Amino acid sequence: MQHSEVPVVTEIPIAGKEAGPYGITLGPDGALWLTFAQSGRVARLTLDSELMEYPLDSPTCRPTVIAAGPDGALWFTRYQDHRIGRITVDGAAEAFDLPTPDSGPYGITAGPDGAVWFTLINADRVGRISGEGDVTEFPLPVEGAYPSAITAGPDGALWFTLNQANAIGRITVDGDVTLHPLPTPGAAPVGITSDGVALWFVEIAAGQIGRISVDGEIEEFPLPDRTAKPHAIVAAAAGDCWFTEWGANRVGHITDRGEISEYDIPTPSSEPHGITVGPDGAIWAALETGGVVRVAPTP
């Protein structure tokens, strides 16, 4: 995506605030898939704004982060009832129990091993679930760490944020864990993504974007507004990342050189959370107040 001209920002209402659109990802069917955290639904959105909602078996399960799985289905965390959900592109949903009670699953991603990996915020663990629903949990070597987002790295391992331990974690598919402390105290990292070369993450409390190499070298880039509360991040290409500013009502962009651009969302206080690259090459973000925003280059 080129950024020589100001992108077009389009806001699309898709649900009421009571639905609470939260996570968003590109599905294998070329549609956008969202979690409606407040109403216990998963939704499918096409580029021509056709919305299909799929109620889950519990309206209070709080579906949170969603990702395309290695099996052609969508996988998501159910933060409130502590389960992992799976939904096919035809809307058939199922859920899998986790071994640790009240574990608080949050981040989720397809792993390099054909399984799905996730974080357990309340249990200081990272989990792995096979396509058949077999779950393995790996304890982390730290307590109260609040493992949050997780992504597959370019090195064949999984990388995740430790929101309260102020670190970035790496776990191999065999469960070996390495922690990389952040330079800024109390930065509270949340979202993380791989651009195919390095990992990029957001520091919600410090108002910074971070980059970590697979060797553990960390750089931090302060946002113009340190109170913007960056939340989620996605890579469009190497050195080309987009992120949501939950506290500032914006979508931001950062280059490999740390150059930052920011774009206002039309409706005030729209609470942008999840972000993804759409099937049209534009950037799409979920707005908790009931919509999505599309950021696209000028034609």
Side-chain angles (χ1 to χ4, degrees):
M1 181 181 292
Q2 300 298 314
H3 309 291
S4 55
E5 298 182 34
V6 177
V8 177
V9 179
T10 307
E11 194 176 338
I12 304 165
I14 59 170
K17 187 173 183 177
E18 68 280 359
Y22 189 92
I24 186 170
T25 196
L26 173 60
D29 56 349
L32 294 158
W33 287 78
L34 298 104
T35 56
F36 286 1
Q38 301 300 332
S39 62
R41 294 168 179 249
V42 171
R44 179 183 186 270
L45 178 67
T46 65
L47 291 181
D48 57 4
S49 298
E50 180 183 345
L51 184 75
M52 180 72 71
E53 295 184 40
Y54 300 102
L56 302 174
D57 56 5
S58 167
T60 59
C61 68
R62 197 170 177 84
T64 309
V65 181
I66 188 168
D71 58 349
L74 289 303
W75 292 74
F76 55 96
T77 48
R78 297 171 47 139
Y79 181 77
Q80 197 69 36
D81 69 356
H82 313 289
R83 304 170 88 193
I84 299 297
R86 178 184 182 270
I87 189 167
T88 68
V89 293
D90 298 323
E94 58 185 326
F96 301 95
D97 293 330
L98 298 176
T100 302
D102 303 324
S103 54
Y106 181 77
I108 196 164
T109 192
D113 57 347
V116 172
W117 290 71
F118 54 93
T119 59
L120 298 171
I121 278 183
N122 299 337
D124 292 319
R125 293 168 182 252
V126 168
R128 177 190 185 274
I129 184 168
S130 70
E132 294 74 40
D134 297 321
V135 177
T136 307
E137 294 181 354
F138 301 96
L140 301 176
V142 61
E143 294 184 0
Y146 223 72
S148 299
I150 187 168
T151 194
D155 57 346
L158 289 303
W159 292 73
F160 54 98
T161 52
L162 294 163
N163 180 263
Q164 291 302 299
N166 207 52
I168 303 299
R170 177 185 185 271
I171 185 169
T172 68
V173 293
D174 297 322
D176 295 326
V177 177
T178 306
L179 302 186
H180 301 279
L182 296 181
T184 301
V190 185
I192 190 168
T193 189
S194 168
D195 70 356
V197 178
L199 292 304
W200 293 77
F201 55 93
V202 299
E203 298 177 356
I204 194 169
Q208 298 185 137
I209 307 298
R211 178 174 59 199
I212 182 169
S213 72
V214 293
D215 298 326
E217 181 182 345
I218 297 172
E219 293 179 86
E220 294 173 315
F221 305 97
L223 297 176
D225 176 5
R226 300 294 290 274
T227 66
K229 292 184 169 59
H231 187 274
I233 188 167
V234 67
D240 180 6
C241 293
W242 293 80
F243 53 93
T244 50
E245 295 185 4
W246 182 81
N249 205 53
R250 289 189 290 253
V251 172
H253 175 257
I254 187 167
T255 70
D256 201 34
R257 298 180 298 277
E259 298 165 339
I260 294 169
S261 306
E262 299 171 311
Y263 306 101
D264 291 330
I265 297 170
T267 299
S269 303
S270 61
E271 298 182 34
H273 272 116
I275 191 167
T276 195
V277 180
D280 53 354
I283 303 301
W284 293 75
L287 307 177
E288 244 198 313
T289 51
V292 294
V293 65
R294 177 180 184 267
V295 183
T298 53

